[in-house]
Amino acid sequence: MHNDHRIVEELVKTGKWSRDHATVAVRAEFKCEYCGLDLLKDAQHYKLWQLDHIVPKKLMVQDGMDPDEHNNLAIACKPCNFDFKWRFDPRTTAGANADRLALINAAKEEIRERKQACDSELSRLREIAGRVDG
Ligand SMILES: [Zn+2]
């Protein structure tokens, strides 16, 4: 915990991170909280870095809640956040009173299903393109 605090302070000193963002990043160990991708691995991974609102911002505001509250923030890679999770509200499957972990798990499940659908589409594209796997 003490070490986490030091890391947050060092990140803030770089001038590129707000204290909130740095705190969320350290909690996530700099990995996508949905697929586990290490976002510090290299420049390619780093460029996928996004800060996700677990319950979409607009819906939190509608419900009179603070969307930027730490428990509603997660570190995510762009494919998980933008391409697959998109506007999914994890409360629809986890329940209105679900805690952070339950909401993340609900989002993970939705992302997994949407990735599977994308994989099927990709298989078809590979067939058309004449690519043979393996
Ligand atoms: Zn991800």
Side-chain angles (χ1 to χ4, degrees):
M1 196 63 200
H2 183 257
N3 196 41
D4 285 356
H5 180 74
R6 187 190 56 76
I7 295 169
V8 168
E9 293 311 311
E10 291 295 320
L11 288 172
V12 171
K13 270 192 230 163
T14 67
K16 292 192 165 192
W17 299 67
S18 69
R19 181 160 279 105
D20 283 348
H21 197 155
T23 303
V24 173
V26 169
R27 178 180 64 191
E29 297 176 347
F30 306 93
K31 290 176 186 160
C32 172
E33 295 189 61
Y34 300 121
C35 74
L37 191 76
D38 180 1
L39 296 166
L40 294 186
K41 191 181 171 199
D42 54 31
Q44 191 86 20
H45 285 69
Y46 181 61
K47 285 296 179 187
L48 298 175
W49 186 293
Q50 295 193 336
L51 186 62
D52 176 44
H53 292 86
I54 299 170
V55 172
K57 204 169 182 169
K58 198 176 165 186
L59 300 176
M60 288 289 278
V61 172
Q62 271 172 17
D63 294 346
M65 293 188 284
D66 175 12
D68 297 317
E69 198 265 316
H70 279 200
N71 273 337
N72 193 47
L73 298 176
I75 299 301
C77 69
K78 181 188 169 286
C80 282
N81 181 36
F82 186 79
D83 300 299
F84 296 118
K85 181 172 172 281
W86 189 226
R87 290 177 177 155
F88 175 69
D89 180 356
R91 295 176 303 183
T92 57
T93 50
N97 298 315
D99 64 11
R100 185 176 190 276
L101 186 63
L103 291 171
I104 285 186
N105 284 333
K108 271 186 187 172
E109 183 57 25
E110 184 69 18
I111 289 165
R112 197 187 57 76
E113 284 172 17
R114 292 180 183 182
K115 274 186 181 168
Q116 258 176 8
C118 187
D119 277 339
S120 302
E121 188 187 318
L122 198 52
S123 292
R124 189 163 147 61
L125 288 175
R126 281 187 178 144
E127 270 178 42
I128 293 168
R131 298 273 182 90
V132 182
D133 291 332

